[in-house]
Amino acid sequence: MSNLSMDPAFASLAKHPREVLRDANVAREALAAARQGSKSWASELDLEIEDLDVPSSNSEEKQVPIRIYRPKAAEGALPVLLYLHGGGFYCGDLFSEERQCAHYAHNAQCAVVCVAYRLAPEAPFPAALTDCYRVLEFLWNESENLNLDRDLLAIGGSSAGANLAAATALLARDRKGPRICFQMLLIPALDDRLETPSAHQFTDVPDFARPEAEAMWRWYLGQNVQEVSPYAAPARAEYLSDLPTAYILCAGLDPLRDEGLHYARRLTEAGVAVELHLVPSIPHGFASIPSAEVSKRLLNEQVDILRNVFLPK
């Protein structure tokens, strides 16, 4: 356990006994149970919701479900944030980060698109990335029909979702695909090697520590991987130039902390504008306690960042 002090608002996370993560379905059931009885932020913030199935690029693959949040009073083509949920690549769905999506849409006056990408270990890399990139292409190609402003198309996500956001940005650059104007990477999982000081230091912190990170990567990459693609672990990308401007949030008590810091430094060295925020006193799963003052502050900060990105240029 680190000798760094944790914000007392997250003390409840430390009360849960650590269990070895062996079964993805158990984790999914726990997530669903924790969400029982939670209020609908979409209805509370007076948002319009549209559920669609995006045709896959391969006839053998299933369609990709998406959910679009829009402010009801908005007029004209909206800026859009393609938001990819976290959950270690093995859990999470269209509803697991509704609070964030609803607040972004309402307060930044934009459309937010959440993706139900395929999950590991049943569907390891590149399934989730394939789904996310397909949705990016769909939003770009169908922007007029969806009343979206594709010149203001941003991408973001938390944890594994931030990995997928960074990887989608790399893929769009390399394929000369849709133009992404901004990437918002929250507590990103970027490096499967887990060789940073924070990956070695935080082996027993509450909620998410090195054992969870090891299981996450094992399930996502699949069995008997000989070579890890930079699209699976963006920290392995050789070149980071010509990528979208980035906002990166790192949690101080997180085994993934240093890979986020290193990625921000490498982006900066490659000429990409980066805003970096390191909060020393919070664990990886800080957003699971939305009532904490720091959680509220960081969500408001993300809204402000998006509002600034989407200002008419």
Side-chain angles (χ1 to χ4, degrees), residues 145-179:
N145 293 331
L146 295 170
N147 208 16
L148 302 175
D149 184 350
R150 71 180 193 177
D151 291 329
L152 293 174
L153 172 53
I155 193 167
S158 64
S159 191
N163 168 295
L164 293 166
T168 300
L170 285 168
L171 204 54
R173 178 199 66 181
D174 296 345
R175 291 183 177 177
K176 303 190 186 313
R179 292 190 303 276

Side-chain angles (χ1 to χ4, degrees), residues 100-179:
Q100 292 92 316
C101 292
H103 275 275
Y104 297 151
H106 177 74
N107 295 303
Q109 289 295 289
C110 65
V112 178
V113 180
C114 187
V115 182
Y117 55 81
R118 285 171 289 171
L119 299 175
E122 296 88 346
F125 174 82
L129 179 59
T130 299
D131 291 348
C132 296
Y133 191 79
R134 178 68 193 105
V135 174
L136 176 71
E137 290 181 316
F138 175 78
L139 297 177
W140 180 266
N141 294 331
E142 299 295 324
S143 58
E144 187 172 349
N145 293 331
L146 295 170
N147 208 16
L148 302 175
D149 184 350
R150 71 180 193 177
D151 291 329
L152 293 174
L153 172 53
I155 193 167
S158 64
S159 191
N163 168 295
L164 293 166
T168 300
L170 285 168
L171 204 54
R173 178 199 66 181
D174 296 345
R175 291 183 177 177
K176 303 190 186 313
R179 292 190 303 276

Side-chain angles (χ1 to χ4, degrees), residues 84-98:
L84 309 172
H85 67 77
F89 303 109
Y90 57 84
C91 64
D93 53 32
L94 290 179
F95 314 102
S96 54
E97 295 184 37
E98 183 189 63

Side-chain angles (χ1 to χ4, degrees), residues 4-78:
L4 296 174
S5 60
M6 182 181 293
D7 187 314
F10 304 103
S12 61
L13 295 176
K15 296 178 182 178
H16 300 294
R18 175 166 301 287
E19 298 178 2
V20 178
L21 188 59
R22 294 192 178 94
D23 190 324
N25 285 320
V26 171
R28 293 167 190 161
E29 290 168 3
L31 178 66
R35 207 165 57 215
Q36 289 295 320
S38 60
K39 62 182 175 180
S40 170
W41 289 95
S43 59
E44 176 142 323
L45 296 175
D46 200 28
L47 297 172
E48 176 184 301
I49 292 178
E50 182 179 11
D51 291 326
L52 296 173
D53 288 323
V54 175
S56 64
S57 54
N58 186 329
S59 60
E60 296 179 358
E61 295 169 355
K62 294 182 179 179
Q63 293 185 320
V64 185
I66 65 172
R67 169 163 282 208
I68 305 177
Y69 299 83
R70 304 172 189 266
K72 285 186 176 178
E75 297 180 357
L78 286 173

Side-chain angles (χ1 to χ4, degrees), residues 182 245-249 264 268 272-277 301 305 308:
F182 179 74
T245 297
Y247 168 84
I248 299 178
L249 170 66
T268 302
V272 177
V274 178
E275 182 166 339
L276 173 65
H277 194 158
E301 176 178 279
I305 291 287
N308 184 62

Side-chain angles (χ1 to χ4, degrees), residues 81-82 153-157 162-170 180-186 190 234 240-249 263 267 272-275 305-306 309:
L81 171 67
L82 174 55
L153 172 53
I155 193 167
N163 168 295
L164 293 166
T168 300
L170 285 168
I180 298 171
C181 69
F182 179 74
Q183 53 183 330
M184 183 171 69
L185 310 181
L186 311 177
L190 300 167
L240 298 182
S241 55
D242 302 318
L243 287 169
T245 297
Y247 168 84
I248 299 178
L249 170 66
Y263 200 69
L267 283 170
V272 177
V274 178
E275 182 166 339
I305 291 287
L306 291 171
V309 167

Side-chain angles (χ1 to χ4, degrees), residues 167-220:
T168 300
L170 285 168
L171 204 54
R173 178 199 66 181
D174 296 345
R175 291 183 177 177
K176 303 190 186 313
R179 292 190 303 276
I180 298 171
C181 69
F182 179 74
Q183 53 183 330
M184 183 171 69
L185 310 181
L186 311 177
I187 50 172
L190 300 167
D191 196 342
D192 65 293
R193 294 165 291 195
L194 298 175
E195 294 175 350
T196 65
S198 62
H200 288 291
Q201 180 181 8
F202 297 117
T203 59
D204 196 32
V205 286
D207 179 64
F208 184 92
R210 184 184 179 93
E212 284 76 25
E214 290 173 345
M216 170 186 78
W217 283 112
R218 184 169 62 251
W219 288 344
Y220 184 52

